[in-house]
Amino acid sequence: MEVVENKKEVTEILSFAKHLKLSTRTDHDGVDKMVMASKPFENEANYAKFLTLQHIFHLSVAPLYQQADLQDLFPGLAELPRLSAVKLDLMDLGMKPEVDPAALAKVDDVYEAIGWLYCSEGSNIGAAFLYKETQKLNFDANRGARHLAAHEDGRAPHWRKFVAQLDALKLTESQQASAVKGAIDAFDFYKKTLKMAGLSAS
Ligand code: HEM
């Protein structure tokens, strides 16, 4: 019995999705704190800045969802991006979804791209809390907070499917390291953009 439990633990430690999570926990928590410190739901002006940040992030990752090599690794990937929803949210607030191309990230390495996708898809888990907060501003899945709404399958099943796809990848150690680097770069990019969007409390 003990042996089986140990085996279970080892399998968990070796799961690639768990490895990504553990390797980026501090980065995630830093982003979480910075976003909350910027009080994005306090008023519509702050929320507009938050949407601008989300737009730049989703615009940066959007090309990855269209890449054939990544679509092969993650079947169904093309249907996932939330970019069009963010654009509609911006328009709901009377803003133009225009971005200086220099503000966007560019990801060339396919294994680093896996880390960026992890960061982007995972952000939809925490979005459950953010979505609730948007209701204080009277936004919802039909207006202003479309991109934070749950996937039609529900947040958890959708995330479990993505995690299963991550765990099914047969990556070498160095490819896994590239993916972790990509995820950390994605969180760093988010933080840098947050400051540029005038959202930083510091
Ligand atoms: C105030 C903002 C945020 C809050 C409160 C928040 C909160 C959360 C929570 C509660 C989870 C679930 C953790 C768990 O199941 O252990 C989560 C997961 C995640 N979040 Fe966030 N989050 C925020 C912003 C973001 C942003 C901006 C990104 C990406 C740019 C992000 C990326 C992720 C990822 C990748 C995961 C999945 C972790 C995993 O299980 O592997 N989050 N977040």
Side-chain angles (χ1 to χ4, degrees), residues 3 16 22 26 32 52 61 65 68 72 85-86 94 104 107 110 116 122 130 136 139 144 148 153 172 178 183 190 198:
V3 174
F16 177 46
L22 291 180
T26 325
D32 174 345
T52 304
V61 293
Y65 289 82
D72 285 347
V86 183
L104 301 181
V107 187
V110 69
W116 280 79
L130 305 186
K136 288 183 189 160
F139 294 126
L148 296 171
D153 307 338
T172 64
S178 295
Y190 198 92

Side-chain angles (χ1 to χ4, degrees), residues 21 28 31-32 35-36 118-119 122-123 125-126 130 159 187 190:
K21 179 176 181 155
H28 175 274
V31 165
D32 174 345
V35 171
M36 290 323 288
Y118 162 78
C119 184
S123 71
I125 296 285
L130 305 186
W159 176 241
F187 282 115
Y190 198 92

Side-chain angles (χ1 to χ4, degrees), residues 85-153:
V86 183
K87 281 188 178 162
L88 291 172
D89 288 340
L90 278 167
M91 291 195 282
D92 289 336
L93 272 81
M95 295 161 74
K96 287 202 179 117
E98 286 169 1
V99 172
D100 174 1
L104 301 181
K106 206 170 167 310
V107 187
D108 294 321
D109 181 275
V110 69
Y111 299 106
E112 288 184 17
I114 291 171
W116 280 79
L117 287 178
Y118 162 78
C119 184
S120 166
E121 284 307 303
S123 71
N124 215 25
I125 296 285
F129 165 76
L130 305 186
Y131 180 69
K132 260 193 208 136
E133 292 290 296
T134 63
Q135 275 146 46
K136 288 183 189 160
L137 296 167
N138 290 321
F139 294 126
D140 58 25
N142 299 311
R143 194 179 80 91
R146 303 163 201 257
H147 83 285
L148 296 171
H151 188 269
E152 58 187 23
D153 307 338

